[in-house]
Amino acid sequence: MTTSSDRKTDGRPSLGTATGQRIPVPRRERKPAMAALAVLLIVGGALISAYLVMASGQRVPVISIAQQVAAGQRIPASALREVQVSSTGGLDYIPWGDRAKVTQTFATVTLVKGALLTNGMISTGSSVAKGTVVVGLALKPGQLPAGGLQPGDRVALYAVSSQGGQSGTQSGTVLAPVATVYDVVQPGQNDIQADQVAVSVTVPVDQAPEVTQASSAGAVAVALLPAGEKAPQTPPRQTAPRQSTTPSAGESPGNPPASPRDRSTGNP
């Protein structure tokens, strides 16, 4: 029979459960620096998040484009509207308070509807070259390329026959060998008729009178020019000399002139 003394001496250590003793646990080493860093990261992240939330709610009024403005065209007040954007956008948007100054500038690029205006899109000088003027044309299908025109295109202007026939210029005459498209307004925009495209072109001053006369009669056609090319000048039309209708000596006004044979024979 095994006694209690035998159980204590059987070679296995006693865990001391009977006396209430516990196994010793290694003491943890405290690191105050790591704890402080963790607290700083937590607090810093919370502050950054709060700043972003507050900044996203700060919006400022800037200028947006309400209607298309061609490159080189003076920017009208009707083409500007106010929109609110975030102040953290980082772009050089023009404030709405500067709209009066903007109306005194010119577009350096074509401004499309909905674009936010920046300082790089405007200039204080006009892009219309010295010695040229801007002429407006109202064109119907067949008077311009089927693919349409864009500001900056190089074109030639030709005279065509008009319905009224009052253009005063021979059909096929080159009105302007080289012109530049200044602006294009599609049908339905700015009260333009549904069957017309309004095209503004720059032409030399000396060609403007003939172009405007043909334009007023609707007798202008536009041809798109390849790069570096221009339309040849139309040579003047050769007209046959008019025959005199004044009767010569010996001829009565009411009778045709007699042939040489009739004159020799004396036959009437």
Side-chain angles (χ1 to χ4, degrees), residues 135-140 143 158-171 175 196 208-221:
V135 178
L137 310 174
L139 306 176
K140 295 183 179 181
Q143 292 180 287
Y158 293 88
V160 295
S161 58
S162 60
Q163 295 180 353
Q166 302 296 327
S167 65
T169 306
Q170 178 188 356
S171 180
L175 300 173
Q196 291 184 344
E210 195 170 12
V211 173
T212 54
Q213 181 181 3
S215 174
S216 63
V220 179

Side-chain angles (χ1 to χ4, degrees), residues 133-137 155 157 179-183 199-203 211:
V133 293
V134 180
V135 178
L137 310 174
V155 297
L157 307 182
T180 303
V181 177
Y182 184 76
D183 191 13
V199 179
S200 297
V201 295
T202 58
V203 297
V211 173

Side-chain angles (χ1 to χ4, degrees), residues 144-148:
L144 75 164

Side-chain angles (χ1 to χ4, degrees), residues 106-124:
F106 300 84
T108 58
V109 296
T110 299
L111 306 178
V112 297
K113 183 178 180 180
L116 298 179
L117 195 63
T118 64
N119 287 308
M121 299 178 179
I122 61 176
S123 173
T124 55

